[in-house]
């Protein structure tokens, strides 16, 4: 993990919470000290220098994330250094379309726009009944939706409205229970929550049911 700013430290913390070993690099001494006890290894160093990254063992890693957002130059040079080290998977945060194009051209394998992606997701949640929403680039979405009242008491096999809206129910969570895979004989109960998949428009229309 290169960069422990807002995005970087949240991502590093999430990876650590999932049980992954995290090596973090940042120029800022205060950030390094703050995270020293929470991550496996935190190093104060200039990540734009290939030799520095080699010395701290970055060349042995299978994945690296460049989370720098404040400096496009530092972000690009860090990706270049990782490419020179031969890191198999390089993820990089972009703050603009131009930044993303540069990152891709210098060798980043995956470019992410956390602010834009979060903004789009929250926009969907604000104007709908959806509890969570994940949009994919090929007009496909997965959403968590409260079961419409008109569908309770019926099995998924009976639900012509689901077929009409074009979505597929892939998971169901009854109150007080965990999510389970949806089966045709599953009867929906009041207060249950559905995981549905389909095109973005189909998911939105289904979420609008009451």
């Amino acid at each position: 993990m290169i960069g422990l700013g807002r995005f970087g430290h949240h991502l590093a913390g999430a990876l650590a919470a999932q049980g992954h070993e995290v090596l973090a690099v940042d120029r800022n001494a205060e950030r390094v000290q703050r995270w020293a006890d929470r991550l496996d290894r935190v190093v104060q160093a200039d990540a734009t220098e290939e030799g520095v990254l080699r010395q701290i063992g970055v060349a042995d890693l299978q994945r690296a994330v460049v989370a720098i957002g404040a400096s496009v130059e530092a972000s690009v040079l860090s990706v270049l250094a990782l490419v020179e080290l031969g890191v198999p998977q390089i993820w990089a945060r972009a703050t603009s379309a131009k930044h993303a194009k540069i990152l891709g051209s210098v060798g980043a394998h995956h470019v992410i726009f956390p602010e834009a992606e979060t903004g789009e997701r929250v926009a969907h949640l604000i104007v709908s009944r959806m509890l969570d929403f994940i949009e994919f680039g090929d007009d496909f979405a997965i959403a968590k939706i409260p079961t419409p009242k008109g569908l309770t008491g019926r099995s998924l096999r009976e639900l012509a409205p689901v077929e009409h809206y074009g979505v597929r129910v892939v998971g169901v969570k009854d109150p007080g229970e965990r999510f389970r895979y949806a089966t045709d004989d599953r009867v929906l109960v009041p207060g249950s929550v559905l995981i549905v998949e389909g095109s973005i428009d189909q998911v939105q229309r289904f979420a609008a049911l009451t």
Side-chain angles (χ1 to χ4, degrees):
M1 176 70 61
I2 296 176
L4 285 172
R6 269 188 312 180
F7 172 67
H9 84 250
H10 281 299
L11 179 56
L15 289 169
Q18 293 174 17
H20 301 288
E21 293 185 11
V22 179
L23 163 61
V25 183
D26 198 289
R27 290 180 178 179
N28 186 291
E30 183 181 346
R31 290 176 183 169
V32 169
Q33 185 175 8
R34 186 186 311 144
W35 282 90
D37 295 332
R38 295 187 247 182
L39 301 174
D40 296 280
R41 188 180 172 203
V42 184
V43 179
Q44 183 182 359
D46 182 356
T48 66
E49 297 291 337
E50 177 191 342
V52 171
L53 295 181
R54 188 182 300 278
Q55 285 182 351
I56 60 179
V58 173
D60 298 326
L61 302 179
Q62 292 300 304
R63 301 177 185 86
V65 180
V66 178
I68 300 169
S71 170
V72 172
E73 180 182 3
S75 167
V76 172
L77 291 176
S78 296
V79 169
L80 277 171
L82 293 169
V83 170
E84 291 299 317
L85 291 176
V87 176
Q89 285 193 45
I90 302 170
W91 295 71
R93 171 195 181 186
T95 55
S96 68
K98 185 176 181 180
H99 186 191
K101 186 175 182 179
I102 296 171
L103 290 171
S105 68
V106 299
H109 303 108
H110 307 276
V111 179
I112 51 178
F113 292 84
E115 290 85 357
E117 292 166 3
T118 299
E120 291 174 5
R121 174 176 169 273
V122 172
H124 283 290
L125 299 180
I126 289 173
V127 299
S128 73
R129 297 176 64 246
M130 289 185 281
L131 304 174
D132 206 347
F133 179 85
I134 302 174
E135 178 180 335
F136 298 88
D138 52 355
D139 189 33
F140 183 81
I142 297 176
K144 181 165 70 171
I145 299 170
T147 300
K149 292 180 181 178
L151 304 185
T152 58
R154 302 164 65 185
S155 70
L156 290 175
R157 184 181 288 108
E158 301 175 75
L159 294 180
V162 173
E163 297 176 4
H164 171 72
Y165 282 90
V167 300
R168 178 183 178 189
V169 179
V170 295
V172 183
K173 180 183 183 299
D174 290 340
E177 296 187 6
R178 61 182 179 85
F179 275 104
R180 301 181 186 277
Y181 287 113
T183 57
D184 288 343
D185 59 354
R186 183 65 179 266
V187 176
L188 302 180
V189 301
S192 60
V193 175
L194 307 178
I195 299 294
V196 301
E197 63 179 19
S199 74
I200 296 170
D201 287 342
Q202 289 169 339
V203 170
Q204 289 175 330
R205 288 201 303 271
F206 184 75
L209 291 174
T210 58

